[in-house]
Amino acid sequence: MSEGAYQRLWESSHVILQELLDQEQPLLEPVPDRERQSFRYRLASLYLHYLGLLRRFDTVYDQMVQPQKRRLLRRLLDGVAGRVLELKDELVRADLCENPCLDRVLQDVKLTPADLEVPIPKYFLLEQSTAVRERGLILAKILSRLEPESSRKSFIGMHRTEAIILVQKAERARQGRLRATFMREIRRDEEQDRRIREDGWHKFSQCQAAVTIQKVWKGYLQRKRTQQDRRTEMEFIGMLPSPNQVEHLSIISQACLWEDVRRLRQVEKEEEFQAAMVKAHDSLAETEGPDMKEKMKEQIRQWFIECHNLTGRFPDYPDASSGGSYSIFADKTPEQVRMELEMQVQENKKKEREKSKEKGKDEKKKKKKGKEEKAKKGEVDAVLQVLPSKCIPMISAGHEEYLNTWKNQRESIYPSQNYDSETLREEKRKEVELEIRIQVDELMRQELRNLRLVVDKEEERPLRAPKKTPGKKTGKKKEKDLTPNRSVESLYEELVISGLLRKSESVALKDYVGDFLYLGSALSLAKKLPMPSLFDIRQNVALYAVLRLGSPDIHAMAPLIRSILLVGPSGMGKKMLVRAVCTETGANLFDLSPGNLLGKYPGRSGAQMMVHIVFKVARLLQPSVIWIGNAEKNFYKKIPKEDREMDPKRIKKDLTKALRLLTPGDRVMLIGTTSQPQLAEIRGLCQVYERILFMPRPDYASRYVLWKRMIEARGVQPTQHLDISALAKVSDGYTPGHILQAIQSVLSERRFLQLSKRPLVACEFLGQLAKLDPVYREEEEALKDWYFKTPLGKKSMKHRMEQLEAEEAKLAKEKKKRK
């Protein structure tokens, strides 16, 4: 795509953004609980459109070259991503489920399941690629020092005689196989000759022979045409892969090359823009700085005189923390300031009169309010309302800046994508003005002190301390630093040596394959509870973990989530998702699994020190993921005998305290994985893990995609001989891990070499699947029962029961009316 194409994409994105901002205001109005479905539908529609807008802004930001536009796009991209996370949170509150079914909404707004895919901004990894590379080198260096000499591979030499004997054996075996094949062909030819002699020769006339040959040839041509037409049709509807894969891959590689070229241009233009910013700042400070300074002084002196004339005394000068004189004179003339002062004097007089009248009315109002609150208490519980957004002001400000600055600017003015010098000077003029105002404020404070001494004979007034509301603490309790004299590098090395900080395998989130749940709404209408698909699980991990950890601005704006618990049978890919989060965000991986803590940091003080060091390094080197495998062991109801030695509950209290100290600026997330949550105390587990994602067995659609993608990943292109649909049906109850094991067992190196002569068939995988134990229905039902005991699960079941009771009551009334 050219620069003009990205410019048009940006313009069309702002048209969509304007429509979405217009739809935001009605959502703030409270809605009664009986209209929950319509409220949920509006939220889902808005969520889907914001997802599409996020995808558009990510594409434009990744390829836009002009540096000033990129800064605006970055703010819009982060704002829209934050709004997506806010709407997801609202959907969960409205639907009382982590996986709301959006298939009906998708159909109504004419979108496909691919539009529901959460786009991960490309700048997450591009901007911190250098830091991730350096961290990887440091980690590899520490690990190489730890590797003992004995563990390094050494090749044992072989004597020449032994080598000759080995080669002779292999050669004789090869010659024997060739001779056996040759003798088999000779016997086959002799058998054919014998049969021909026994049956005798069939004599044909010339015409009969010609007709026979024509029949065979025409039949062969027609079958070939029919097969080709069928294949073309299947390729057209997407049921078979296109044969020109090489051409397709070359086009993609060429497009990726152009994208890399544009990213290099972005770096060049950014360097030019940084140099221009410094030059413009120095130029404005030198040429316009003195005039700004004199103008501000005159304005503030006029304010002193006006205040003294109106009130009889000089005003209090605003403190630097409240903005200084900028809070009074921001974009105002001296006449406007004078009018405001007169209005303030009149308002103060009115307030004094009204205070005396209101004293008697306060008691009556309090009594009325108490009665109204009691009457409305039941109504408030049954009202749905969207919480105020932190992202909408940022999005609206960015949209306004686009309309005022960039909408009507022609692209032909800056064809080389250079910065706009006029816009740059306006921005820098404001910065220079703020810097000069700070200097002027210091001078005018001293001048105000002198005026008070000379005119009013008044000494300096003490500064008023800000009023504190009783019963509220002004600051948050900080964690005591147990390692004040230790550097981050030494703590990092200590964690690596002890095995608490590990190198994460590179796994993309898109590699966690699975299909969309197409029948979610249909199952809900049939009074059946839809279970999340692998697609839903991938989206939730992207929303709850990847988007929040990838950007500090998104993390600060989005609803705070400190921890996630992945619950599901073994083989569902829980560890893979943890690694994918680290890969997509460039996060450090800390391992606090109970099995990994055995013999490390012993004692009560040791556990406290370990948790402190892990969270300290995680905050300083954010983003970071703290993983706890077998998370149920930290909250055992009763510790089994085999686990008593490791004392799995020893970090429970310190872990809870450390999590509470995480704030919106700390990109640190705790991710737990478990396949046996029934063994834990559900209350403690749910207090530590804020979001619980249930991972059931894959459905038919996900199993079909799994078989297809995993076989293709081994370098095998499925043919018509391989019935993937049958494999997906037969493998019901098996996890993605089971399917991967079966494929790895069947597609050995030897079988791969035989594919040209003997294509893959479905029955080859059945034997390997039969050797594996599936996830039985009783095991999954036990996990479901546990999930519905969690806080969100309880709310969901309660709401479901209320709906069923309401429907039964409605049917009973209709029956009575008929009678």
Side-chain angles (χ1 to χ4, degrees):
M1 291 172 69
S2 62
E3 192 70 31
Y6 289 111
Q7 179 68 26
R8 289 191 294 273
L9 183 60
W10 190 24
E11 292 170 0
S12 63
S13 300
H14 275 277
V15 174
I16 298 170
L17 180 58
Q18 183 62 59
E19 295 174 359
L20 294 178
L21 290 174
D22 294 339
Q23 296 175 28
E24 288 282 357
Q25 192 62 32
L27 282 176
L28 297 174
E29 298 174 3
V31 176
D33 189 64
R34 61 178 177 273
E35 298 180 13
R36 182 183 288 268
Q37 290 300 325
S38 62
F39 178 74
R40 177 188 168 279
Y41 186 91
R42 284 187 290 162
L43 276 177
S45 177
L46 204 60
Y47 169 76
L48 289 173
H49 284 103
Y50 268 112
L51 269 181
L53 195 61
L54 176 62
R55 193 174 293 106
R56 283 167 162 261
F57 278 142
D58 179 39
T59 303
V60 178
Y61 177 73
D62 183 53
Q63 293 299 303
M64 186 71 77
V65 176
Q66 215 269 4
Q68 290 162 303
K69 291 180 182 178
R70 280 176 56 78
R71 278 165 169 71
L72 174 58
L73 274 166
R74 175 64 178 272
R75 295 199 301 274
L76 286 168
L77 178 59
D78 289 345
V80 170
R83 187 56 183 153
V84 165
L85 297 177
E86 287 178 343
L87 288 171
K88 171 65 178 179
D89 200 54
E90 296 292 344
L91 270 173
V92 171
R93 287 198 308 113
D95 206 47
L96 300 175
C97 176
E98 295 287 358
N99 310 285
C101 300
L102 304 178
D103 49 335
R104 179 169 160 257
V105 188
L106 276 174
Q107 188 177 359
D108 291 346
V109 297
K110 304 292 188 297
L111 295 176
T112 65
D115 296 309
L116 193 57
E117 191 79 43
V118 177
I120 298 172
K122 300 177 186 67
Y123 77 84
F124 280 7
L125 284 178
L126 290 173
E127 290 189 357
Q128 58 178 356
S129 58
T130 307
V132 171
R133 198 181 305 112
E134 290 175 357
R135 203 163 58 225
L137 291 172
I138 295 169
L139 186 60
K141 187 177 179 181
I142 297 170
L143 291 173
S144 65
R145 290 205 307 266
L146 294 175
E147 186 181 1
E149 291 292 331
S150 59
S151 65
R152 293 176 185 172
K153 292 183 180 180
S154 57
F155 296 97
I156 301 170
M158 183 183 291
H159 197 268
R160 182 182 294 178
T161 306
E162 293 177 358
I164 292 170
I165 292 171
L166 189 64
V167 172
Q168 284 176 346
K169 285 180 181 179
E171 178 60 23
R172 285 167 185 165
R174 187 186 69 83
Q175 290 179 3
R177 286 193 295 271
L178 287 174
R179 183 169 179 79
T181 305
F182 179 65
M183 294 303 294
R184 195 181 302 117
E185 291 175 356
I186 290 174
R187 282 195 295 271
R188 188 177 64 241
D189 293 342
E190 290 176 352
E191 183 67 21
Q192 287 178 358
D193 293 341
R194 186 182 61 79
R195 287 179 182 175
I196 289 171
R197 285 195 302 270
E198 289 176 357
D199 296 340
W201 293 94
H202 295 284
K203 295 183 178 179
F204 292 99
S205 65
Q206 191 173 2
C207 292
Q208 288 174 338
V211 170
T212 304
I213 292 170
Q214 286 175 357
K215 283 181 181 179
V216 174
W217 177 248
K218 287 181 179 179
Y220 167 75
L221 285 179
Q222 188 57 45
R223 284 192 298 273
K224 194 172 181 180
R225 284 195 208 100
T226 305
Q227 189 177 4
Q228 183 64 32
D229 292 343
R230 188 180 292 126
R231 182 171 183 84
T232 305
E233 182 183 0
M234 296 295 278
E235 288 173 5
F236 178 72
I237 63 177
M239 295 300 289
L240 284 176
S242 177
N244 53 351
Q245 291 286 344
V246 178
E247 183 182 353
H248 180 64
L249 290 173
S250 66
I251 293 170
I252 292 175
S253 62
Q254 189 175 1
C256 293
L257 181 63
W258 278 111
E259 288 179 359
D260 293 337
V261 170
R262 294 179 71 84
R263 291 190 186 109
L264 290 173
R265 285 189 66 204
Q266 288 173 2
V267 175
E268 294 174 3
K269 297 297 179 183
E270 181 64 27
E271 291 174 355
E272 292 177 9
F273 184 63
Q274 292 289 347
M277 285 171 68
V278 175
K279 189 176 179 181
H281 181 277
D282 296 343
S283 173
L284 287 168
E286 185 179 350
T287 56
E288 300 182 15
D291 294 338
M292 287 182 186
K293 198 170 187 178
E294 291 302 320
K295 186 178 178 181
M296 288 178 194
K297 285 182 178 180
E298 288 299 322
Q299 197 177 27
I300 294 169
R301 287 191 186 106
Q302 184 69 22
W303 176 55
F304 291 165
I305 295 166
E306 295 291 341
C307 284
H308 193 273
N309 292 338
L310 287 169
T311 61
R313 56 184 294 181
F314 290 106
D316 292 329
Y317 207 94
D319 192 21
S321 59
S322 61
S325 60
Y326 182 77
S327 59
I328 301 171
F329 297 100
D331 302 325
K332 294 177 185 176
T333 60
E335 290 77 12
Q336 289 173 334
V337 174
R338 181 179 179 180
M339 292 293 292
E340 284 184 4
L341 287 169
E342 291 176 357
M343 291 294 290
Q344 283 179 4
V345 171
Q346 292 176 5
E347 284 177 5
N348 290 333
K349 290 179 181 178
K350 284 182 182 179
K351 285 179 182 177
E352 288 176 1
R353 293 172 190 169
E354 290 174 358
K355 277 182 183 178
S356 58
K357 295 179 182 179
E358 287 179 357
K359 283 181 181 178
K361 296 179 181 179
D362 284 343
E363 294 180 3
K364 295 180 181 179
K365 284 183 179 179
K366 285 178 182 178
K367 291 179 182 179
K368 286 183 180 180
K369 281 182 181 178
K371 291 178 181 178
E372 288 175 3
E373 284 175 5
K374 288 178 182 177
K376 290 182 179 179
K377 207 166 188 180
E379 295 178 9
V380 171
D381 294 337
V383 167
L384 296 170
Q385 191 174 8
V386 173
L387 298 174
S389 172
K390 293 181 181 178
C391 305
I392 292 297
M394 176 188 260
I395 297 171
S396 300
H399 183 57
E400 286 295 324
E401 183 179 340
Y402 165 79
L403 295 176
N404 297 332
T405 309
W406 303 107
K407 183 181 178 181
N408 299 322
Q409 192 179 73
R410 293 182 181 179
E411 198 64 24
S412 58
I413 299 176
Y414 303 103
S416 59
Q417 298 304 309
N418 290 329
Y419 59 88
D420 182 6
S421 56
E422 290 299 322
T423 307
L424 175 61
R425 286 184 69 84
E426 285 297 322
E427 291 174 359
K428 286 297 165 185
R429 187 174 284 112
K430 292 176 182 178
E431 289 184 17
V432 171
E433 187 177 348
L434 285 173
E435 291 173 4
I436 292 173
R437 189 174 290 279
I438 293 170
Q439 300 171 10
V440 170
D441 284 347
E442 289 297 324
L443 295 172
M444 297 311 292
R445 283 192 187 95
Q446 184 61 41
E447 188 171 325
L448 182 60
R449 292 189 198 103
N450 297 335
L451 283 171
R452 283 175 181 157
L453 286 170
V454 173
V455 178
D456 295 340
K457 309 297 182 182
E458 182 184 354
E459 294 183 2
E460 186 178 355
R461 298 177 197 169
L463 291 172
R464 294 180 182 178
K467 293 182 180 179
K468 295 183 181 179
T469 54
K472 289 187 179 180
K473 295 180 181 179
T474 54
K476 191 174 181 179
K477 188 178 178 182
K478 292 184 178 180
E479 183 186 12
K480 184 181 178 181
D481 191 359
L482 303 178
T483 55
N485 301 322
R486 296 280 302 276
S487 64
V488 184
E489 291 78 11
S490 66
L491 293 173
Y492 184 87
E493 186 172 352
E494 181 180 329
L495 291 176
V496 174
I497 293 170
S498 59
L500 298 179
L501 197 154
R502 295 189 171 185
K503 183 180 180 181
S504 176
E505 296 177 19
S506 182
V507 179
L509 188 62
K510 64 181 180 181
D511 294 338
Y512 190 81
V513 294
D515 207 354
F516 179 68
L517 182 63
Y518 295 96
L519 299 175
S521 299
L523 290 170
S524 299
L525 290 173
K527 306 296 183 294
K528 292 182 180 179
L529 192 65
M531 286 289 104
S533 66
L534 299 185
F535 181 91
D536 296 326
I537 294 164
R538 184 172 73 239
Q539 302 317 301
N540 281 334
V541 170
L543 290 165
Y544 289 148
V546 177
L547 281 185
R548 283 173 163 85
L549 292 177
S551 166
D553 295 329
I554 296 174
H555 193 278
M557 289 185 291
L560 181 61
I561 294 178
R562 302 181 183 92
S563 53
I564 299 171
L565 181 65
L566 302 176
V567 180
S570 298
M572 284 300 299
K574 299 184 287 293
K575 293 178 188 175
M576 179 183 177
L577 287 172
V578 175
R579 296 188 191 107
V581 172
C582 295
T583 302
E584 297 290 352
T585 60
N588 298 293
L589 178 61
F590 298 86
D591 185 1
L592 287 182
S593 303
N596 190 40
L597 304 184
L598 183 62
K600 298 171 185 176
Y601 295 90
R604 179 72 188 89
S605 59
Q608 185 181 3
M609 177 65 74
M610 175 177 59
V611 174
H612 168 77
I613 293 174
V614 167
F615 275 83
K616 181 179 178 180
V617 176
R619 277 196 294 265
L620 292 172
L621 300 177
Q622 54 186 283
S624 299
V625 171
I626 301 171
W627 170 55
I628 299 181
N630 298 322
E632 78 281 354
K633 292 186 177 183
N634 296 136
F635 302 90
Y636 263 144
K637 295 175 185 175
K638 185 179 179 181
I639 302 176
K641 290 181 181 179
E642 59 270 16
D643 290 340
R644 284 177 186 171
E645 185 182 353
M646 70 171 68
D647 191 13
K649 298 175 73 171
R650 68 190 184 107
I651 65 166
K652 177 181 172 181
K653 291 182 181 178
D654 298 308
L655 186 67
T656 309
K657 289 178 184 176
L659 273 176
R660 287 175 186 165
L661 294 170
L662 294 178
T663 60
D666 299 325
R667 288 185 293 154
V668 179
M669 181 161 286
L670 174 68
I671 303 180
T673 58
T674 176
S675 57
Q676 295 178 311
Q678 310 94 325
L679 303 177
E681 295 175 358
I682 192 166
R683 185 178 178 184
L685 198 66
C686 294
Q687 282 178 351
V688 169
Y689 296 99
E690 299 173 357
R691 287 286 189 273
I692 297 175
L693 302 182
F694 179 52
M695 303 169 68
R697 301 176 301 175
D699 55 3
Y700 169 80
S702 292
R703 291 196 303 273
Y704 186 93
V705 175
L706 279 167
W707 280 105
K708 189 172 183 297
R709 296 280 180 85
M710 286 183 177
I711 289 173
E712 288 176 350
R714 301 284 294 179
V716 179
Q717 197 65 34
T719 61
Q720 294 179 351
H721 298 88
L722 182 61
D723 192 349
I724 297 179
S725 179
L727 282 174
K729 290 175 183 176
V730 170
S731 57
D732 186 14
Y734 290 93
T735 63
H738 291 144
I739 294 172
L740 181 61
Q741 285 182 43
I743 291 172
Q744 287 175 345
S745 301
V746 172
L747 286 175
S748 60
E749 187 177 351
R750 182 179 179 183
R751 183 68 184 88
F752 187 80
L753 295 172
Q754 297 173 351
L755 288 174
S756 57
K757 296 180 180 178
R758 187 162 61 91
L760 269 179
V761 290
C763 61
E764 294 183 59
F765 298 95
L766 300 182
Q768 297 298 328
L769 281 176
K771 295 176 184 178
L772 303 171
D773 291 328
V775 178
Y776 295 104
R777 195 168 297 278
E778 294 79 11
E779 183 182 348
E780 189 173 26
E781 289 298 326
L783 288 173
K784 285 182 186 177
D785 293 340
W786 177 86
Y787 178 74
F788 289 118
K789 292 176 184 175
T790 62
L792 188 62
K794 283 181 181 177
K795 289 179 184 178
S796 178
M797 288 303 292
K798 183 181 177 182
H799 179 66
R800 189 175 177 80
M801 293 301 294
E802 288 174 357
Q803 281 184 328
L804 291 173
E805 288 173 3
E807 288 177 7
E808 287 175 2
K810 190 177 179 181
L811 289 172
K813 286 181 182 179
E814 289 179 358
K815 285 181 181 178
K816 285 181 181 179
K817 286 181 181 179
R818 289 174 187 174
K819 290 179 179 179

